Short mmCIF file of all heavy atoms in Angstrom, two decimals:
data_model
loop_
_atom_site.label_atom_id
_atom_site.label_comp_id
_atom_site.label_asym_id
_atom_site.label_seq_id
_atom_site.Cartn_x
_atom_site.Cartn_y
_atom_site.Cartn_z
N GLY A 1 -86.89 21.09 28.34
CA GLY A 1 -88.18 21.75 28.31
C GLY A 1 -88.12 23.04 27.50
O GLY A 1 -87.06 23.54 27.18
N VAL A 2 -89.27 23.54 27.22
CA VAL A 2 -89.40 24.78 26.47
C VAL A 2 -89.58 25.94 27.44
O VAL A 2 -90.35 25.85 28.38
CB VAL A 2 -90.61 24.71 25.50
CG1 VAL A 2 -90.80 26.03 24.77
CG2 VAL A 2 -90.43 23.57 24.53
N THR A 3 -88.85 27.02 27.21
CA THR A 3 -89.02 28.19 28.06
C THR A 3 -90.00 29.16 27.43
O THR A 3 -90.20 29.17 26.22
CB THR A 3 -87.69 28.91 28.32
OG1 THR A 3 -87.15 29.34 27.08
CG2 THR A 3 -86.70 28.00 29.04
N THR A 4 -90.60 29.97 28.27
CA THR A 4 -91.55 30.99 27.85
C THR A 4 -91.00 32.35 28.24
O THR A 4 -90.31 32.46 29.25
CB THR A 4 -92.91 30.76 28.56
OG1 THR A 4 -93.38 29.45 28.23
CG2 THR A 4 -93.96 31.78 28.13
N THR A 5 -91.29 33.36 27.45
CA THR A 5 -90.89 34.72 27.80
C THR A 5 -91.94 35.31 28.72
O THR A 5 -93.13 35.32 28.39
CB THR A 5 -90.77 35.60 26.54
OG1 THR A 5 -89.79 35.02 25.68
CG2 THR A 5 -90.35 37.02 26.90
N TYR A 6 -91.49 35.78 29.87
CA TYR A 6 -92.37 36.46 30.83
C TYR A 6 -91.92 37.91 30.95
O TYR A 6 -90.74 38.21 30.78
CB TYR A 6 -92.30 35.77 32.20
CG TYR A 6 -92.91 34.38 32.18
CD1 TYR A 6 -92.11 33.27 32.00
CD2 TYR A 6 -94.27 34.20 32.32
CE1 TYR A 6 -92.66 31.99 31.97
CE2 TYR A 6 -94.83 32.93 32.29
CZ TYR A 6 -94.02 31.83 32.12
OH TYR A 6 -94.57 30.57 32.08
N TYR A 7 -92.87 38.78 31.24
CA TYR A 7 -92.61 40.22 31.29
C TYR A 7 -92.80 40.74 32.71
O TYR A 7 -93.77 40.39 33.37
CB TYR A 7 -93.56 40.94 30.32
CG TYR A 7 -93.41 40.40 28.91
CD1 TYR A 7 -94.18 39.33 28.47
CD2 TYR A 7 -92.46 40.93 28.05
CE1 TYR A 7 -94.01 38.80 27.20
CE2 TYR A 7 -92.30 40.41 26.77
CZ TYR A 7 -93.06 39.35 26.35
OH TYR A 7 -92.89 38.83 25.10
N ALA A 8 -91.86 41.56 33.16
CA ALA A 8 -91.92 42.09 34.52
C ALA A 8 -93.16 42.95 34.71
O ALA A 8 -93.52 43.75 33.85
CB ALA A 8 -90.67 42.92 34.82
N ASP A 9 -93.82 42.76 35.85
CA ASP A 9 -94.97 43.57 36.23
C ASP A 9 -94.63 44.27 37.54
O ASP A 9 -95.13 43.94 38.60
CB ASP A 9 -96.21 42.70 36.38
CG ASP A 9 -97.44 43.50 36.75
OD1 ASP A 9 -97.46 44.72 36.49
OD2 ASP A 9 -98.38 42.91 37.31
N VAL A 10 -93.75 45.27 37.43
CA VAL A 10 -93.22 45.96 38.60
C VAL A 10 -94.32 46.69 39.38
O VAL A 10 -94.33 46.70 40.60
CB VAL A 10 -92.10 46.95 38.19
CG1 VAL A 10 -91.63 47.78 39.38
CG2 VAL A 10 -90.94 46.18 37.58
N ASP A 11 -95.29 47.30 38.65
CA ASP A 11 -96.33 48.08 39.33
C ASP A 11 -97.54 47.25 39.76
O ASP A 11 -98.47 47.77 40.36
CB ASP A 11 -96.76 49.29 38.49
CG ASP A 11 -97.33 48.89 37.13
OD1 ASP A 11 -97.58 47.70 36.89
OD2 ASP A 11 -97.52 49.79 36.30
N GLY A 12 -97.53 45.95 39.45
CA GLY A 12 -98.57 45.06 39.93
C GLY A 12 -99.95 45.24 39.33
O GLY A 12 -100.94 44.85 39.92
N ASP A 13 -100.03 45.80 38.11
CA ASP A 13 -101.33 46.02 37.48
C ASP A 13 -101.73 44.89 36.53
O ASP A 13 -102.72 45.00 35.82
CB ASP A 13 -101.38 47.37 36.76
CG ASP A 13 -100.37 47.47 35.61
OD1 ASP A 13 -99.65 46.49 35.33
OD2 ASP A 13 -100.29 48.55 35.00
N THR A 14 -100.97 43.82 36.51
CA THR A 14 -101.15 42.62 35.66
C THR A 14 -100.80 42.86 34.20
O THR A 14 -100.99 41.98 33.37
CB THR A 14 -102.57 42.00 35.74
OG1 THR A 14 -103.52 42.83 35.07
CG2 THR A 14 -103.00 41.75 37.20
N PHE A 15 -100.27 44.04 33.88
CA PHE A 15 -99.80 44.33 32.53
C PHE A 15 -98.29 44.39 32.57
O PHE A 15 -97.71 45.09 33.39
CB PHE A 15 -100.39 45.66 32.02
CG PHE A 15 -101.88 45.63 31.86
CD1 PHE A 15 -102.71 45.88 32.93
CD2 PHE A 15 -102.45 45.32 30.63
CE1 PHE A 15 -104.10 45.84 32.79
CE2 PHE A 15 -103.83 45.27 30.48
CZ PHE A 15 -104.66 45.54 31.56
N GLY A 16 -97.61 43.64 31.68
CA GLY A 16 -96.16 43.52 31.74
C GLY A 16 -95.40 44.49 30.87
O GLY A 16 -95.91 45.01 29.88
N ASP A 17 -94.15 44.71 31.25
CA ASP A 17 -93.24 45.62 30.55
C ASP A 17 -92.54 44.88 29.41
O ASP A 17 -91.77 43.96 29.66
CB ASP A 17 -92.20 46.13 31.56
CG ASP A 17 -91.22 47.13 30.95
OD1 ASP A 17 -91.20 47.30 29.72
OD2 ASP A 17 -90.47 47.73 31.75
N PRO A 18 -92.78 45.29 28.15
CA PRO A 18 -92.17 44.59 27.01
C PRO A 18 -90.64 44.69 26.98
O PRO A 18 -89.99 43.91 26.29
CB PRO A 18 -92.79 45.26 25.79
CG PRO A 18 -93.23 46.60 26.27
CD PRO A 18 -93.61 46.42 27.72
N LEU A 19 -90.06 45.64 27.72
CA LEU A 19 -88.62 45.84 27.71
C LEU A 19 -87.91 45.14 28.87
O LEU A 19 -86.68 45.19 28.97
CB LEU A 19 -88.30 47.34 27.75
CG LEU A 19 -88.95 48.16 26.63
CD1 LEU A 19 -88.61 49.63 26.79
CD2 LEU A 19 -88.51 47.64 25.27
N ASN A 20 -88.66 44.48 29.75
CA ASN A 20 -88.08 43.83 30.92
C ASN A 20 -88.57 42.38 30.95
O ASN A 20 -89.66 42.10 31.44
CB ASN A 20 -88.51 44.59 32.20
CG ASN A 20 -87.81 44.08 33.43
OD1 ASN A 20 -87.14 43.05 33.43
ND2 ASN A 20 -87.98 44.80 34.52
N THR A 21 -87.77 41.48 30.38
CA THR A 21 -88.21 40.10 30.19
C THR A 21 -87.29 39.10 30.87
O THR A 21 -86.16 39.41 31.23
CB THR A 21 -88.26 39.74 28.70
OG1 THR A 21 -86.93 39.78 28.17
CG2 THR A 21 -89.14 40.70 27.92
N THR A 22 -87.82 37.90 31.02
CA THR A 22 -87.02 36.77 31.49
C THR A 22 -87.53 35.52 30.80
O THR A 22 -88.69 35.45 30.40
CB THR A 22 -87.09 36.62 33.03
OG1 THR A 22 -86.12 35.66 33.44
CG2 THR A 22 -88.46 36.18 33.50
N GLN A 23 -86.66 34.55 30.61
CA GLN A 23 -87.04 33.27 30.04
C GLN A 23 -87.11 32.25 31.18
O GLN A 23 -86.17 32.14 31.96
CB GLN A 23 -86.00 32.80 29.02
CG GLN A 23 -85.89 33.66 27.78
CD GLN A 23 -87.05 33.45 26.84
OE1 GLN A 23 -87.52 32.35 26.63
NE2 GLN A 23 -87.55 34.54 26.27
N ALA A 24 -88.23 31.52 31.27
CA ALA A 24 -88.36 30.55 32.34
C ALA A 24 -89.32 29.44 31.93
O ALA A 24 -90.14 29.61 31.03
CB ALA A 24 -88.87 31.24 33.60
N CYS A 25 -89.19 28.30 32.61
CA CYS A 25 -90.10 27.17 32.36
C CYS A 25 -91.44 27.40 33.05
O CYS A 25 -92.48 26.96 32.57
CB CYS A 25 -89.48 25.87 32.86
SG CYS A 25 -88.00 25.41 31.94
N THR A 26 -91.42 28.06 34.21
CA THR A 26 -92.65 28.38 34.93
C THR A 26 -92.65 29.88 35.24
O THR A 26 -91.58 30.49 35.35
CB THR A 26 -92.77 27.59 36.24
OG1 THR A 26 -91.63 27.86 37.05
CG2 THR A 26 -92.86 26.09 35.98
N GLN A 27 -93.83 30.42 35.42
CA GLN A 27 -93.97 31.87 35.62
C GLN A 27 -93.35 32.31 36.95
O GLN A 27 -93.78 31.90 38.01
CB GLN A 27 -95.45 32.24 35.59
CG GLN A 27 -95.69 33.73 35.70
CD GLN A 27 -97.14 34.08 35.46
OE1 GLN A 27 -97.88 33.34 34.84
NE2 GLN A 27 -97.56 35.22 35.95
N PRO A 28 -92.32 33.18 36.88
CA PRO A 28 -91.71 33.68 38.11
C PRO A 28 -92.60 34.70 38.81
O PRO A 28 -93.43 35.36 38.18
CB PRO A 28 -90.42 34.36 37.62
CG PRO A 28 -90.35 34.13 36.15
CD PRO A 28 -91.69 33.68 35.69
N VAL A 29 -92.43 34.85 40.11
CA VAL A 29 -93.16 35.86 40.87
C VAL A 29 -92.80 37.24 40.34
O VAL A 29 -91.63 37.55 40.10
CB VAL A 29 -92.81 35.75 42.38
CG1 VAL A 29 -93.42 36.91 43.16
CG2 VAL A 29 -93.27 34.41 42.93
N GLY A 30 -93.82 38.08 40.13
CA GLY A 30 -93.59 39.43 39.65
C GLY A 30 -93.53 39.54 38.14
O GLY A 30 -93.25 40.62 37.61
N PHE A 31 -93.78 38.45 37.45
CA PHE A 31 -93.76 38.44 35.98
C PHE A 31 -95.10 37.94 35.45
O PHE A 31 -95.78 37.14 36.10
CB PHE A 31 -92.63 37.56 35.43
CG PHE A 31 -91.27 38.19 35.57
CD1 PHE A 31 -90.59 38.18 36.78
CD2 PHE A 31 -90.66 38.79 34.48
CE1 PHE A 31 -89.35 38.77 36.92
CE2 PHE A 31 -89.40 39.38 34.60
CZ PHE A 31 -88.75 39.37 35.82
N VAL A 32 -95.49 38.42 34.26
CA VAL A 32 -96.76 38.03 33.64
C VAL A 32 -96.53 37.74 32.16
O VAL A 32 -95.48 38.04 31.61
CB VAL A 32 -97.82 39.16 33.79
CG1 VAL A 32 -98.20 39.35 35.27
CG2 VAL A 32 -97.33 40.47 33.20
N LEU A 33 -97.53 37.14 31.52
CA LEU A 33 -97.44 36.84 30.09
C LEU A 33 -97.74 38.06 29.23
O LEU A 33 -97.32 38.14 28.08
CB LEU A 33 -98.40 35.70 29.73
CG LEU A 33 -97.97 34.32 30.20
CD1 LEU A 33 -99.10 33.31 30.00
CD2 LEU A 33 -96.72 33.88 29.47
N ASP A 34 -98.48 39.04 29.77
CA ASP A 34 -98.86 40.24 29.04
C ASP A 34 -97.65 41.15 28.84
O ASP A 34 -96.82 41.29 29.72
CB ASP A 34 -99.95 40.99 29.82
CG ASP A 34 -100.36 42.28 29.12
OD1 ASP A 34 -99.73 43.32 29.36
OD2 ASP A 34 -101.30 42.22 28.32
N ASN A 35 -97.55 41.78 27.67
CA ASN A 35 -96.41 42.67 27.38
C ASN A 35 -96.87 44.02 26.82
O ASN A 35 -96.24 44.60 25.97
CB ASN A 35 -95.45 42.01 26.39
CG ASN A 35 -96.05 41.86 25.01
OD1 ASN A 35 -97.24 41.99 24.81
ND2 ASN A 35 -95.21 41.58 24.03
N THR A 36 -97.99 44.54 27.35
CA THR A 36 -98.57 45.75 26.77
C THR A 36 -98.48 46.98 27.67
O THR A 36 -99.09 48.01 27.37
CB THR A 36 -100.05 45.52 26.41
OG1 THR A 36 -100.78 45.18 27.59
CG2 THR A 36 -100.19 44.41 25.37
N ASP A 37 -97.75 46.91 28.78
CA ASP A 37 -97.65 48.07 29.68
C ASP A 37 -96.61 49.05 29.17
O ASP A 37 -95.45 48.69 28.96
CB ASP A 37 -97.29 47.62 31.09
CG ASP A 37 -97.70 48.62 32.17
OD1 ASP A 37 -97.86 49.80 31.84
OD2 ASP A 37 -97.86 48.20 33.32
N CYS A 38 -97.02 50.32 28.96
CA CYS A 38 -96.07 51.32 28.47
C CYS A 38 -95.43 52.11 29.61
O CYS A 38 -94.51 52.89 29.38
CB CYS A 38 -96.73 52.26 27.47
SG CYS A 38 -98.12 53.21 28.13
N ASP A 39 -95.92 51.91 30.85
CA ASP A 39 -95.30 52.56 32.03
C ASP A 39 -95.46 51.62 33.21
O ASP A 39 -96.46 51.65 33.92
CB ASP A 39 -95.96 53.91 32.33
CG ASP A 39 -95.29 54.63 33.51
OD1 ASP A 39 -94.47 54.01 34.21
OD2 ASP A 39 -95.60 55.80 33.73
N ASP A 40 -94.48 50.77 33.42
CA ASP A 40 -94.58 49.75 34.47
C ASP A 40 -94.21 50.29 35.85
O ASP A 40 -94.06 49.53 36.79
CB ASP A 40 -93.70 48.55 34.11
CG ASP A 40 -94.14 47.29 34.85
OD1 ASP A 40 -95.35 47.11 35.03
OD2 ASP A 40 -93.26 46.52 35.27
N THR A 41 -94.11 51.61 35.98
CA THR A 41 -93.87 52.20 37.29
C THR A 41 -95.15 52.78 37.87
O THR A 41 -95.18 53.21 39.02
CB THR A 41 -92.82 53.33 37.23
OG1 THR A 41 -93.32 54.38 36.41
CG2 THR A 41 -91.50 52.81 36.65
N ASN A 42 -96.24 52.80 37.08
CA ASN A 42 -97.49 53.40 37.51
C ASN A 42 -98.64 52.44 37.24
O ASN A 42 -98.97 52.18 36.09
CB ASN A 42 -97.72 54.72 36.76
CG ASN A 42 -98.93 55.48 37.24
OD1 ASN A 42 -99.86 54.91 37.81
ND2 ASN A 42 -98.94 56.77 36.99
N PRO A 43 -99.27 51.89 38.29
CA PRO A 43 -100.35 50.91 38.08
C PRO A 43 -101.60 51.48 37.41
O PRO A 43 -102.44 50.72 36.93
CB PRO A 43 -100.66 50.42 39.50
CG PRO A 43 -100.18 51.50 40.40
CD PRO A 43 -99.00 52.14 39.70
N ALA A 44 -101.72 52.81 37.35
CA ALA A 44 -102.88 53.43 36.71
C ALA A 44 -102.69 53.58 35.21
O ALA A 44 -103.60 54.02 34.51
CB ALA A 44 -103.16 54.80 37.35
N ILE A 45 -101.49 53.23 34.69
CA ILE A 45 -101.22 53.35 33.26
C ILE A 45 -101.00 51.96 32.67
O ILE A 45 -100.05 51.27 33.02
CB ILE A 45 -100.00 54.25 33.02
CG1 ILE A 45 -100.27 55.67 33.53
CG2 ILE A 45 -99.62 54.25 31.53
CD1 ILE A 45 -99.10 56.61 33.40
N ASN A 46 -101.93 51.55 31.80
CA ASN A 46 -101.84 50.26 31.11
C ASN A 46 -102.89 50.23 30.02
O ASN A 46 -103.70 51.14 29.92
CB ASN A 46 -102.01 49.09 32.09
CG ASN A 46 -103.33 49.16 32.84
OD1 ASN A 46 -104.39 49.07 32.24
ND2 ASN A 46 -103.26 49.34 34.16
N THR A 47 -102.90 49.18 29.21
CA THR A 47 -103.83 49.12 28.08
C THR A 47 -105.28 48.99 28.52
O THR A 47 -106.18 49.20 27.71
CB THR A 47 -103.48 47.97 27.12
OG1 THR A 47 -103.43 46.76 27.87
CG2 THR A 47 -102.15 48.21 26.44
N GLY A 48 -105.54 48.67 29.79
CA GLY A 48 -106.90 48.57 30.28
C GLY A 48 -107.39 49.82 30.97
O GLY A 48 -108.52 49.90 31.41
N ALA A 49 -106.52 50.82 31.06
CA ALA A 49 -106.86 52.05 31.78
C ALA A 49 -107.76 52.96 30.95
O ALA A 49 -107.75 52.91 29.73
CB ALA A 49 -105.59 52.80 32.18
N VAL A 50 -108.51 53.80 31.64
CA VAL A 50 -109.34 54.80 30.99
C VAL A 50 -108.51 56.07 30.83
O VAL A 50 -107.83 56.50 31.76
CB VAL A 50 -110.60 55.09 31.83
CG1 VAL A 50 -111.41 56.24 31.22
CG2 VAL A 50 -111.45 53.84 31.95
N GLU A 51 -108.54 56.65 29.65
CA GLU A 51 -107.79 57.89 29.39
C GLU A 51 -108.37 59.03 30.22
O GLU A 51 -109.58 59.22 30.27
CB GLU A 51 -107.86 58.23 27.91
CG GLU A 51 -106.91 59.33 27.48
CD GLU A 51 -105.45 58.92 27.53
OE1 GLU A 51 -105.13 57.77 27.19
OE2 GLU A 51 -104.63 59.75 27.93
N THR A 52 -107.51 59.75 30.92
CA THR A 52 -107.94 60.92 31.69
C THR A 52 -107.19 62.15 31.19
O THR A 52 -106.13 62.03 30.58
CB THR A 52 -107.68 60.72 33.19
OG1 THR A 52 -106.29 60.46 33.39
CG2 THR A 52 -108.50 59.57 33.76
N CYS A 53 -107.73 63.31 31.46
CA CYS A 53 -107.14 64.55 30.97
C CYS A 53 -106.00 64.98 31.89
O CYS A 53 -106.19 65.75 32.82
CB CYS A 53 -108.21 65.63 30.90
SG CYS A 53 -107.64 67.11 30.04
N ASP A 54 -104.82 64.43 31.64
CA ASP A 54 -103.68 64.71 32.52
C ASP A 54 -102.35 64.83 31.77
O ASP A 54 -101.29 64.82 32.37
CB ASP A 54 -103.57 63.62 33.59
CG ASP A 54 -103.40 62.23 33.00
OD1 ASP A 54 -103.32 62.10 31.75
OD2 ASP A 54 -103.35 61.26 33.77
N GLY A 55 -102.41 64.92 30.45
CA GLY A 55 -101.18 65.07 29.67
C GLY A 55 -100.36 63.81 29.57
O GLY A 55 -99.20 63.85 29.19
N VAL A 56 -100.96 62.64 29.90
CA VAL A 56 -100.26 61.36 29.90
C VAL A 56 -101.04 60.37 29.03
O VAL A 56 -102.26 60.43 28.97
CB VAL A 56 -100.14 60.81 31.34
CG1 VAL A 56 -99.53 59.42 31.37
CG2 VAL A 56 -99.33 61.76 32.20
N ASP A 57 -100.34 59.46 28.39
CA ASP A 57 -100.98 58.38 27.62
C ASP A 57 -101.36 57.27 28.59
O ASP A 57 -100.64 56.30 28.76
CB ASP A 57 -100.01 57.87 26.54
CG ASP A 57 -100.60 56.73 25.73
OD1 ASP A 57 -101.82 56.51 25.78
OD2 ASP A 57 -99.82 56.04 25.05
N ASN A 58 -102.52 57.40 29.25
CA ASN A 58 -102.93 56.45 30.29
C ASN A 58 -103.20 55.04 29.77
O ASN A 58 -102.99 54.06 30.48
CB ASN A 58 -104.21 56.95 30.98
CG ASN A 58 -104.06 58.35 31.54
OD1 ASN A 58 -104.48 59.30 30.91
ND2 ASN A 58 -103.43 58.48 32.69
N ASN A 59 -103.69 54.92 28.53
CA ASN A 59 -104.08 53.60 28.02
C ASN A 59 -103.10 53.01 27.00
O ASN A 59 -103.43 52.06 26.30
CB ASN A 59 -105.51 53.64 27.45
CG ASN A 59 -105.65 54.61 26.30
OD1 ASN A 59 -104.67 55.21 25.85
ND2 ASN A 59 -106.87 54.78 25.83
N CYS A 60 -101.91 53.56 26.94
CA CYS A 60 -100.82 52.98 26.14
C CYS A 60 -101.14 52.84 24.65
O CYS A 60 -100.70 51.88 24.02
CB CYS A 60 -100.40 51.62 26.70
SG CYS A 60 -99.74 51.70 28.38
N ASN A 61 -101.89 53.78 24.08
CA ASN A 61 -102.19 53.68 22.64
C ASN A 61 -101.44 54.74 21.84
O ASN A 61 -101.79 54.99 20.69
CB ASN A 61 -103.69 53.76 22.40
CG ASN A 61 -104.25 55.15 22.63
OD1 ASN A 61 -103.58 56.02 23.19
ND2 ASN A 61 -105.48 55.37 22.21
N THR A 62 -100.44 55.35 22.43
CA THR A 62 -99.58 56.39 21.85
C THR A 62 -100.28 57.74 21.68
O THR A 62 -99.69 58.67 21.15
CB THR A 62 -98.92 55.98 20.52
OG1 THR A 62 -99.88 55.95 19.48
CG2 THR A 62 -98.21 54.64 20.63
N GLN A 63 -101.54 57.86 22.11
CA GLN A 63 -102.26 59.14 22.04
C GLN A 63 -102.44 59.68 23.45
O GLN A 63 -102.75 58.92 24.36
CB GLN A 63 -103.62 58.96 21.38
CG GLN A 63 -103.53 58.49 19.92
CD GLN A 63 -104.91 58.26 19.34
OE1 GLN A 63 -105.83 59.02 19.61
NE2 GLN A 63 -105.06 57.23 18.55
N ILE A 64 -102.28 60.99 23.61
CA ILE A 64 -102.42 61.62 24.92
C ILE A 64 -103.74 62.35 25.01
O ILE A 64 -104.07 63.17 24.14
CB ILE A 64 -101.24 62.58 25.18
CG1 ILE A 64 -99.94 61.77 25.25
CG2 ILE A 64 -101.45 63.40 26.44
CD1 ILE A 64 -98.68 62.61 25.32
N ASP A 65 -104.52 62.03 26.04
CA ASP A 65 -105.79 62.68 26.35
C ASP A 65 -106.80 62.60 25.21
O ASP A 65 -107.67 63.47 25.09
CB ASP A 65 -105.56 64.16 26.75
CG ASP A 65 -104.75 64.29 28.03
OD1 ASP A 65 -104.65 63.30 28.77
OD2 ASP A 65 -104.22 65.37 28.27
N GLU A 66 -106.74 61.55 24.39
CA GLU A 66 -107.71 61.42 23.30
C GLU A 66 -109.09 61.06 23.84
O GLU A 66 -109.23 60.30 24.79
CB GLU A 66 -107.24 60.37 22.28
CG GLU A 66 -107.49 58.92 22.65
CD GLU A 66 -106.52 58.35 23.66
OE1 GLU A 66 -105.53 59.03 24.04
OE2 GLU A 66 -106.74 57.22 24.09
N GLY A 67 -110.10 61.64 23.25
CA GLY A 67 -111.48 61.32 23.60
C GLY A 67 -111.93 61.84 24.94
O GLY A 67 -113.00 61.48 25.41
N VAL A 68 -111.12 62.66 25.59
CA VAL A 68 -111.49 63.20 26.90
C VAL A 68 -112.21 64.52 26.70
O VAL A 68 -111.74 65.39 25.99
CB VAL A 68 -110.23 63.41 27.78
CG1 VAL A 68 -110.61 64.05 29.10
CG2 VAL A 68 -109.51 62.09 28.00
N THR A 69 -113.37 64.65 27.33
CA THR A 69 -114.09 65.92 27.26
C THR A 69 -113.83 66.70 28.55
O THR A 69 -113.66 66.13 29.61
CB THR A 69 -115.61 65.68 27.10
OG1 THR A 69 -116.06 64.84 28.15
CG2 THR A 69 -115.90 65.03 25.76
N THR A 70 -113.79 68.00 28.43
CA THR A 70 -113.49 68.83 29.60
C THR A 70 -114.74 69.27 30.30
O THR A 70 -115.81 69.24 29.75
CB THR A 70 -112.66 70.06 29.18
OG1 THR A 70 -113.36 70.76 28.16
CG2 THR A 70 -111.30 69.65 28.70
#
């Protein structure tokens, strides 16, 4: 069979960690197909998050606090 790369979703936000992978025939528990999470220890930080004024790149686009008005 063909294996697929799955990405660990440690924080449970459905966005996976591109640096923490496994190869499997079926999706293991705790792993997802998405690989866009830049901080898999914080469920509030992922590519679907809204940027907030907190000095952190909340939406994983490499920009910090962009577009936030005070």
Side-chain angles (χ1 to χ4, degrees):
V2 177
T3 60
T4 302
T5 300
Y6 293 96
Y7 304 89
D9 181 22
V10 175
D11 60 11
D13 63 2
T14 72
F15 295 85
D17 182 350
L19 304 178
N20 187 349
T21 65
T22 190
Q23 294 286 320
C25 294
T26 58
Q27 184 171 338
V29 173
F31 285 79
V32 294
L33 287 170
D34 178 272
N35 68 345
T36 60
D37 203 337
C38 61
D39 183 350
D40 201 37
T41 63
N42 185 337
I45 297 177
N46 58 63
T47 54
V50 175
E51 191 69 38
T52 57
C53 190
D54 59 2
V56 175
D57 178 16
N58 305 98
N59 60 5
C60 298
N61 71 348
T62 72
Q63 297 177 38
I64 295 173
D65 296 344
E66 80 282 354
V68 176
T69 55
T70 55

